[in-house]
Every structure is written in C-alpha cells, then in structure tokens.
Amino acid sequence: MAKWPNVPHCYGWLALDARGVWRMRDEAAQGADAPGDKLSNAALVGFINRNYSADERGCWYFQNGPQRVYVNLEAAPFIARTDPAQGLVLQTGDALGVPEQAWLEDSGALLVRAGTRVAQLDDRDLAQLLQSIELDGQPVKDEALLAWLGGADGRLLLRWQDSEIEIERLMADEAPRRFGFVRRPDRLAQPQPKQ
C-alpha cells in the first residue's frame, strides 16, 4: 500500500442490482445511467464478495489493494435468496441468519434484518415467502396485502423457520436513511485534483 499512497477511490464503475448481481459499468453505462454488464468471472465475484465493506458514511465498496471501488446499490447493500439448507443466503454467499425484523416497502420489496445486516429479498423468492405471511393470524390474500400496504389495519407476520417476525410498513425511499446506507456514492464523490 505504501507504493501507491495517492491512488484515487473509484466511483460509478461497479453496481449491485436488486437480484444480487454485480455489474461493471463502463463509461457508456455511466453516461446512460444504465445498470452495466453482469460480472460472471467467479474469481472476480469471489474477490469482491470477500472484500465488501462500508465506510463511515454508509457507502459500500470493495477494497482493491490501496483503492476503494465504491458500489452503486439498486436496492440495498445485501440481497438475500432463499436456500433450503441455510434459510436466507446473501449475494456474498454468507448465510444471513434468522431474521429479527422485517419491512414491506410500498413498492412490494421485502427487507429483513438479522444482526447488523439488512437485506432485500430477491424478488424471484418473494412469492415463496408470501406463503409464510399472515395477516391477523390468517394466510394473507393479495387484496388484503395491498390494502395493508395502503394503510389498512392489521398485524402482518412472517413465519420463518421457527420464528414469528412482525412486518412493518416502509416507504422505499426511507430505507437508506433508516438503515444507514447510501445507494449512489458516485453522486457524493467530489472531483479529485490532478497531481
């Protein structure tokens, strides 16, 4: 690291989509504000997963030698998928653990927290979890769930493994502030002076 003391941090080139896929955003993708190309190289994806962390601002990045490569988040810092053996698994390959809290966004996205990690559920797994959601002790029907999201009364519960997790309402734009993460660190980046 001492060899490269002035390596600038990298913003805008890497993104995590709402399905937990890492995406490389070249200049054309950045200019068009497009998602970018899926990273499929297993070694590179593994390297990113092992070195993924957050700074004091709540900006997520992966450490690449002396450089931080900041990540644009489509949804949340972690995306969870259901797994028959481990329950919920993050895009990094780590098990999330048993959720302690859950939120349903007005957009229909489900977020869960276990320990200090908050993850949004991959939308492809949402239908499976909806079968485990009850409203006032009864399996929830689509119309009743939409009414609840719209403000109707009722207690919404997620029954997951041997736990009952109460689900709270959440506006989609509230998630970053409430959980302390920045979706677009590239918009916070200041131009760096030329050396």
Side-chain angles (χ1 to χ4, degrees):
M1 297 258 207
K3 284 182 174 180
W4 305 292
N6 297 316
V7 175
H9 297 317
C10 182
Y11 289 88
W13 287 85
L14 185 64
L16 178 66
D17 73 18
R19 289 187 165 174
V21 175
W22 296 107
R23 293 180 171 270
M24 185 61 66
R25 302 178 70 239
D26 62 14
E27 288 179 5
Q30 291 178 53
D33 204 24
D37 296 326
K38 292 179 181 182
L39 291 179
S40 57
N41 181 293
L44 177 58
V45 169
F47 178 69
I48 293 169
N49 288 338
R50 286 188 306 278
N51 294 286
Y52 186 54
S53 190
D55 69 12
E56 65 283 348
R57 301 173 298 171
C59 295
W60 286 81
Y61 65 91
F62 89 93
Q63 192 73 43
N64 183 24
Q67 182 180 57
R68 287 184 177 179
V69 178
Y70 282 92
V71 179
N72 287 357
L73 305 171
E74 183 180 352
F78 294 101
I79 304 300
R81 295 181 188 97
T82 57
D83 180 270
Q86 299 182 68
L88 293 174
V89 177
L90 303 175
Q91 85 276 357
T92 59
D94 298 326
L96 175 65
V98 178
E100 299 160 25
Q101 287 182 287
W103 298 265
L104 192 59
E105 290 184 341
D106 56 337
S107 65
L110 181 70
L111 287 93
V112 293
R113 181 188 64 78
T116 60
R117 295 186 288 194
V118 172
Q120 180 171 306
L121 187 70
D122 184 321
D123 66 338
R124 295 170 291 188
D125 290 309
L126 188 56
Q128 178 183 344
L129 252 65
L130 282 175
Q131 297 172 19
S132 303
I133 294 178
E134 296 179 353
L135 180 64
D136 294 331
Q138 299 297 317
V140 69
K141 304 268 190 243
D142 292 345
E143 300 80 22
L145 184 59
L146 290 172
W148 182 87
L149 278 170
D153 290 335
R155 184 169 186 237
L156 204 61
L157 282 179
L158 170 62
R159 293 191 185 277
W160 181 253
Q161 296 171 334
D162 294 326
S163 299
E164 288 184 359
I165 304 117
E166 188 157 357
I167 300 174
E168 299 175 42
R169 289 181 192 94
L170 183 69
M171 301 297 286
D173 58 356
E174 287 180 53
R177 181 184 49 78
R178 178 143 185 198
F179 305 120
F181 65 87
V182 175
R183 281 193 175 131
R184 292 295 302 261
D186 60 330
R187 293 182 178 161
L188 301 179
Q190 299 296 319
Q192 303 204 3
K194 302 222 182 224
Q195 306 252 349

